[in-house]
Amino acid sequence: MPHFLTTDASFSSKQELLDLNDSPENVAGLSLETPSPEESPGGSTGNGDLDFDLPSPSIDTSQTKVFLNGKLESQHGADDPRGIKFVPKETEELCGWGALKPRCIQVFNTPKWVLFFLCVASFLQGMIINGFINTVITSIERRFDLRSYQSGLIASSYDIACCICLSFVSYFGGTGHKPKWLGWGVVVIAIGSLVFALPHFTTESYKATMLEQTGLCSANQTAPCEESTSSLSNYMYVFMLGQFLHGIGATPLYTLGVTYLDENVKSSYAPVYIGIFYTSAIIGPAAGYLLGGLFLKMFTELHETTLTPEDPLWVGAWWIGFLGGGAAALLVALPILGYPRQLPGSQRYVAVRVSEAHQIKDSSQETDPQFGKSVKDMPRSMLLLLKNPTFIFLCLAGATEANLVAGVSTFGPKFLESQFSLSASEAATMFGYMVVPAGGGGTFMGGYIIKKLNLRCGGIIKFCLLCAVVSLLAIFIFLIHCPNVPMAGVTDPYLGGPDSDGPLNLTAFCNSECNCVREFYNPVCGDDGYMYYSPCHAGCSTVDQTLSQAGKKVYNDCSCVLRNLSSVPGGAVSGKCSYSCQQMPVFMVFFFVVMIFTLLSSIPALTATLRCVPDKQKSFALGIQWIIIRALGAIPGPITFGSIIDNSCMLWQDQCGEQGSCYMYENSAMGVYTLTAGVIYKVLGSFFFFMALMLYKGPGSPPSSCGNTDNEEAEESDSPVKDIPPEMLCSVNTKL
């Protein structure tokens, strides 16, 4: 008696579908034709893939049993009574909200449109969390009287929330309605953005003035070390709450979103879809940096002020980006919430997909259809993942790569600024110009190459190992460094005078009467080519309001600046001295190679993770992998890189006797320390990819007809026998 397939049964793996066929006759007549809702009486759309559909079997049947709209139907016209036909119910695979499923919106019920909306969501997430947050953190510190460690807590709240929620969201969301988990996650991101902008509207207007004579030698210098009675620092907890909501909302995006795409397209096209998805997540931060920079040029109260963006008390309109990003996230959440549990035609891809999971002794997760649907199975599911050495080493490799990427992303602009004497905006812009093509291009190309070469799991890991080795060789470019810009009292002593007997002495005979304080750091570039800590340390007594050079202040009568090596006092211009380093083009080329090959392996490594675990554990495996990557990579990466780079600091900020941030680094030491960290991470990453490859045990070599993950040769053939999906042919041959 034939079996009847309806969409009531959700097949998470091909094994569940094949197990329904207990006899050869049941397999021989199986038809996997899955009409779209448009083809069924109540539907209106196609199957929604990339137009590479598996043709339906052309085996004639005398009486095909059909479950049509939940009813059993018979189709006569053939002699073979063993065939069955799968037709989805009228509304089960339609998109909509509850009972509202308009026919006009069914055109969006395709993987391409799912990819589009998920890309918009990941773009907004990257723009808000990795773009706006990093851009405005300095302005928030200034506006709300926050210390650096407090802003660090704000930034870390996102990753802490992700680590707390990942295991539960990936486990229960993996067996639940993924689009609803994704949609509500985007809603939470939107709420977090609105909460993050809330302090701007609940505080008094920001008022600040800057005296023109502050920092000059002729002024009475007083250190701003009075204890602040302001309670603005308590808003730190509001910012932490916003970041915590960001972390909760983003948790489903890169776990359930990836598996939802993987389940609803052919496995050979999954890397391309996932690559595009992650590319949008990388472009998002670049847009956040650009838009955030524009917003910060506007005063926070949106009215005229005497301050300029170069003034130390300037606070830009940091909050605008969060309002706009939150509103956009609410809009994109609506269509995501309307998608069905499975897209039309997705079950045919599940049925013909070859399992590439690492083979372990306990395979009950494949044979037990109820496995993974109860919280009681969570420890057992975790144990099965821990028994998978390929999965473990791929997670460790991802953690080492995340360490390097997170560290370079955080301190890359600072490295360029120090090495090549760039301004902060110039360094950030140049770094952004490299991140977009290297990050976006590398991420997309990684997925495309895997699809083009049709690599299986073992081949994908080999490709990741190759990328790690190439980037390891290119990272030695950090041996190249440029000399520091000469700074009086730091890299070089002051010119002349008995008090200038060595470096690290900011007081000399020329400024000894100025009563300069370390709390006012405002570097100026003198006519003699030396950089000075402030106009006061340069001995400048006046500022010329009539002259300006590209918006910079011009100081005169600087007693420490000797014009043309004479005793005549020279002048100075606000800002650091510019310096041209001839090695910069070579460094940028090899640095680009390091970045693009590092990110070139990101999507292949993710694809290998999806292939080396059973279908039922994909979402949970991604959740565990993200926990490992964040706990061992994304969170400690910036901290480790920061600690290493701080060892090369030559001049520390003085905050009323307490050490603050670093003002100036020794370029040669910074290059050596960065190279050391990079080599360690790259060697470990290469080793972990190598171990994952060596310990991978895929399924036994299948017959030639079952060699590819998706046998496209069978699709292109006109033979009735070859039209049967290759997995069905293998099952028939085995049972006969």
Side-chain angles (χ1 to χ4, degrees), residues 45-57:
T45 186
N47 53 25
D49 49 41
L50 288 173
D51 298 329
F52 291 92
D53 298 327
L54 289 170
S56 60

Side-chain angles (χ1 to χ4, degrees), residues 401-413 633-634 637-642 645 681:
E401 295 293 303
N403 252 294
L404 182 63
V405 171
V408 171
S409 299
T410 304
F411 296 102
I639 299 174
T640 304
F641 257 84
I645 291 179
Y681 289 139

Side-chain angles (χ1 to χ4, degrees), residues 8-80:
D8 292 329
S10 178
F11 302 108
S12 60
S13 68
K14 71 176 183 61
Q15 185 64 41
E16 294 182 47
L17 186 59
L18 296 178
D19 285 343
L20 291 174
N21 306 281
D22 298 327
S23 61
E25 51 268 22
N26 287 342
V27 177
L30 180 60
S31 171
L32 293 178
E33 181 182 355
T34 308
S36 65
E38 187 177 50
E39 296 169 350
S40 62
S44 62
T45 186
N47 53 25
D49 49 41
L50 288 173
D51 298 329
F52 291 92
D53 298 327
L54 289 170
S56 60
S58 57
I59 297 178
D60 293 332
T61 58
S62 60
Q63 186 178 16
T64 303
K65 300 294 184 179
V66 182
F67 240 138
L68 185 60
N69 299 327
K71 297 180 180 180
L72 180 64
E73 303 287 347
S74 297
Q75 293 182 350
H76 300 276
D79 296 332
D80 193 337

